[in-house]
Amino acid sequence: MMINRDKTFKTALFICAAASALATLLIFGFLLVFGLPLFKGGQFFLLLGRPWAPGQGMYGFLPMIAGTAAISLLSLVVAFPISLGVSFFLHSLAPAALGKILKRLVQFMTGVPTVIYGFIGVFLLVPLIREMFENGSGMCVLSASLMLGLLISPTMILFFSDGFAAVDKKYIQAARALGATRVQTLLFVVLPNAWRGLMTGLIMALGRAMGDTLIALMIAGNAVNVPSSLLDPARTLTSHIALVSAADYHSMEFKSIFACGVTLYLLNAAAVIAIRRFGAVGKDKAHV
Amino acid sequence: MDNSIIKITDLHFSYNGLKVLKGVTHSFEKNTLTAITGPSGKGKSTFLTTLNRLWEDVPGAALQGCVELKIAEKWRDVYASSMDIAALRRMVGMVFQIPNPLPMSIFRNMAFPLKLAGVKEKDQVQAKVQEALERAFLWDEVKDRLHSSALELSGGQQQRLCIARALILEPMVLLFDEPTSSLDYQAAGMIEDLLVSLKESCTVLMVSHYLDQVSRIADSRLELADGKLLLSNISR
């Protein structure tokens, strides 16, 4: 009886896992099928380089790839040290009561709708950047990256904190008994052994940064140029898809957004693979 | 002549309001091996951590009383605000019930306390690593695989590695919390020999449940009962 129940449970879990994998493949397939007219005859690769000028029959989205890469990577650069610091504080330095309140606050922040961050960006950050640098409208790569950094930090903090909490307590006890300070324990014992949590946090945060539409749409400026400075406006792949999706359903312009989706999908996958590879190398080095 | 190295006066300890130690007063002599026995869960391990302040990492714990350590022939209050906790833990080393090598190589495990203490000179580190491993009777078994993971060692070897790691800092006092309880008979025997040899260079306090082990290696036995330490006989 028990064996049968176990088997049913295992089968149910397998179905859930298979459905999840299938959904991912179906989404990719869906994007490929709808973008088919542009993939025929190798046009897809032209799209990666050409400028975006639908009036002249050019549907390239290199500026959007550059915008996505610049904004999401910069947001990661902003969010990583903040998240690491907050996670360190929560794990080892904060008094228990304060730590609990802070963690609740961070959990709450993960649930704040993106549009709220967008509003704060439009009404607070953009004017600030505009006045500080006196160069352009303030709607630029820097504004979007800072706000996106704030958006992805709570996700990173929660994954980092869980990674730190999963480190075997006996390692921490060993280090403390040998005279390690709390900071030394964090740097030499907790951090190297929380590698998996750190990598997962980075991947999740990068995925969220690359996939976010609203913040870039509201405060990045949406110019179809490859940005050459942090104060240049830029357009990301996601905000480009959102902007172009209002075009005529049968137009080439509309069909190009599916190719855009495939590119975003592949960029995301490449970033995840890169982080995993880097993570595996870092983990090996940390443990020799 | 007073040969004491640790002096404890009216020590009280509670955990979340539960009184664990109730006015412990005792002195420990230099270069002796004292066994602390008593029922499980009555505060023997906690007592050890009051000597190196390791209990301070536990939320909800509170201590009252005085613990003094004789450093360079002067009594120093372990709980004085001027006491450097890291330095204290280098002088009062501790080895735990479950061997706890860090998930790194044997060499890096050994060099870790030196790194914390700021010792950087490579030759000095290597010499100290070898010396400590030799004192823990482990050098011959690991000298050809110092850069292998410490987690690949057997339980007994891991425990000897932890002892060697504590010895590398040349502590005045070494605390052992049931150091053989997770080991087989043969490995436990090696640890016992090692503990006896350590008396030459430091003072050893050991929590143990095994009275036969206590009778084999300890100079004196203290029974922790009802929050107090009582001197007990050793039957040889």
Side-chain angles (χ1 to χ4, degrees):
Chain A
M1 188 69 178
M2 187 64 95
I3 293 170
N4 273 344
R5 212 183 289 167
D6 271 5
K7 208 172 171 186
T8 314
F9 191 62
K10 272 184 190 169
T11 311
L13 290 179
F14 175 77
I15 291 170
C16 290
S20 160
L22 190 67
T24 313
L25 287 174
L26 279 176
I27 292 168
F28 191 66
F30 167 85
L31 290 172
L32 282 178
V33 168
F34 279 85
L36 205 59
L38 283 159
F39 295 124
K40 279 182 184 166
Q43 283 188 78
F44 177 71
F45 295 102
L46 289 177
L47 293 176
L48 296 178
R50 276 177 172 181
W52 175 259
Q56 297 162 39
M58 290 191 283
Y59 304 98
F61 37 77
L62 179 68
M64 282 64 98
I65 294 174
T68 301
I71 291 173
S72 52
L73 289 178
L74 196 59
S75 69
L76 218 57
V77 170
V78 170
F80 183 73
I82 296 171
S83 306
L84 202 57
V86 174
S87 312
F88 270 179
F89 181 72
L90 286 174
H91 180 262
S92 296
L93 304 175
L98 179 64
K100 220 174 200 177
I101 294 170
L102 279 178
K103 194 153 187 191
R104 291 265 158 83
L105 193 67
V106 171
Q107 282 165 342
F108 171 76
M109 280 178 74
T110 57
V112 174
T114 317
V115 71
I116 305 290
Y117 288 95
F119 271 126
I120 294 169
V122 169
F123 294 108
L124 204 73
L125 186 63
V126 167
L128 195 75
I129 297 281
R130 184 169 55 228
E131 295 199 3
M132 196 182 281
F133 294 100
E134 293 177 345
N135 182 356
S137 67
M139 291 199 170
C140 58
V141 171
L142 182 63
S143 300
S145 302
L146 289 176
M147 199 41 79
L148 210 50
L150 186 66
L151 174 84
I152 63 176
S153 288
T155 307
M156 265 197 197
I157 292 168
L158 292 180
F159 276 97
F160 288 1
S161 297
D162 286 348
F164 293 166
V167 174
D168 197 329
K169 298 287 177 286
K170 74 178 182 187
Y171 300 150
I172 295 170
Q173 194 182 41
R176 299 285 287 150
L178 290 166
T181 61
R182 287 183 192 278
V183 173
Q184 285 175 323
T185 308
L186 278 170
L187 290 177
F188 301 141
V189 177
V190 176
L191 200 55
N193 289 294
W195 206 253
R196 187 185 287 266
L198 291 181
M199 288 306 117
T200 310
L202 268 178
I203 289 169
M204 298 302 285
L206 183 65
R208 186 144 195 224
M210 287 178 97
D212 184 75
T213 309
L214 217 50
I215 286 183
L217 192 66
M218 288 172 84
I219 60 175
N222 294 313
V224 191
N225 294 316
V226 174
S228 58
S229 101
L230 293 181
L231 298 174
D232 279 355
R235 184 186 289 194
T236 62
L237 285 164
T238 48
S239 49
H240 178 70
I241 291 170
L243 288 164
V244 177
S245 60
D248 176 17
Y249 181 78
H250 295 292
S251 68
M252 209 55 166
E253 196 177 345
F254 186 85
K255 289 191 169 75
S256 77
I257 65 176
F258 292 98
C260 230
V262 171
T263 309
L264 185 63
Y265 209 99
L266 294 176
L267 269 181
N268 213 335
V272 169
I273 291 166
I275 290 176
R276 280 201 193 285
R277 284 197 75 101
F278 167 74
V281 172
K283 194 182 176 203
D284 289 346
K285 277 187 180 166
H287 284 79
V288 174
Chain B
M1 189 187 148
D2 181 17
N3 197 33
S4 305
I5 189 168
I6 303 166
K7 205 158 66 180
I8 296 161
T9 315
D10 197 23
L11 187 71
H12 294 259
F13 188 92
S14 63
Y15 177 70
N16 284 335
L18 179 75
K19 288 183 178 173
V20 180
L21 302 176
K22 301 171 187 170
V24 170
T25 298
H26 194 80
S27 293
F28 293 90
E29 293 205 344
K30 261 184 197 170
N31 303 107
T32 56
L33 195 162
T34 307
I36 298 159
T37 58
S40 293
K42 295 294 178 187
K44 298 186 297 299
S45 305
T46 302
F47 172 71
L48 292 187
T49 63
T50 63
L51 306 181
N52 64 357
R53 295 179 63 171
L54 204 60
W55 65 272
E56 290 179 2
D57 286 351
V58 181
L63 176 139
Q64 273 185 326
C66 187
V67 179
E68 290 170 286
L69 189 65
K70 197 189 268 178
I71 305 166
E73 295 307 312
K74 279 189 181 168
W75 286 107
R76 291 279 312 275
D77 181 359
V78 163
Y79 288 91
S81 56
S82 58
M83 178 60 77
D84 177 352
I85 298 181
L88 170 72
R89 290 178 186 162
R90 283 177 213 131
M91 289 184 283
V92 183
M94 187 160 183
V95 175
F96 297 86
Q97 181 178 3
I98 310 283
N100 55 5
L102 296 166
M104 48 178 75
S105 71
I106 295 167
F107 185 85
R108 282 192 62 195
N109 258 282
M110 290 299 299
F112 184 66
L114 298 173
K115 180 179 176 181
L116 296 176
V119 180
K120 286 177 185 160
E121 223 263 296
K122 267 189 178 178
D123 292 343
Q124 196 185 356
V125 171
Q126 263 167 351
K128 278 181 173 286
V129 166
Q130 181 171 346
E131 188 194 331
L133 286 170
E134 280 171 350
R135 285 183 68 192
F137 311 140
L138 192 59
W139 174 250
D140 288 338
E141 293 166 51
V142 300
K143 66 183 176 192
D144 298 325
R145 49 171 175 152
L146 286 173
H147 297 286
S148 305
S149 170
L151 304 182
E152 290 168 11
L153 297 173
S154 70
Q157 286 174 322
Q158 286 191 9
Q159 192 64 308
R160 278 184 284 147
L161 177 72
C162 294
I163 295 172
R165 193 176 60 185
L167 281 175
I168 205 165
L169 295 169
E170 296 170 18
M172 299 160 62
V173 178
L174 260 179
L175 312 172
F176 288 89
D177 188 3
E178 299 184 50
T180 60
S181 65
S182 65
L183 306 179
D184 62 45
Y185 181 77
Q186 205 173 9
M190 289 191 86
I191 301 288
E192 283 183 14
D193 293 343
L194 177 55
L195 290 178
V196 173
S197 74
L198 289 179
K199 277 198 301 181
E200 286 175 20
S201 57
C202 58
T203 304
V204 179
L205 272 69
M206 172 188 74
V207 166
S208 179
H209 278 296
Y210 309 122
L211 292 181
D212 55 335
Q213 180 183 59
V214 171
S215 67
R216 279 196 298 272
I217 63 172
D219 298 312
S220 59
R221 174 166 84 94
L222 295 171
E223 173 90 5
L224 186 71
D226 195 28
K228 296 199 186 255
L229 276 182
L230 306 168
L231 199 57
S232 300
N233 291 328
I234 297 178
S235 47
R236 307 252 184 215

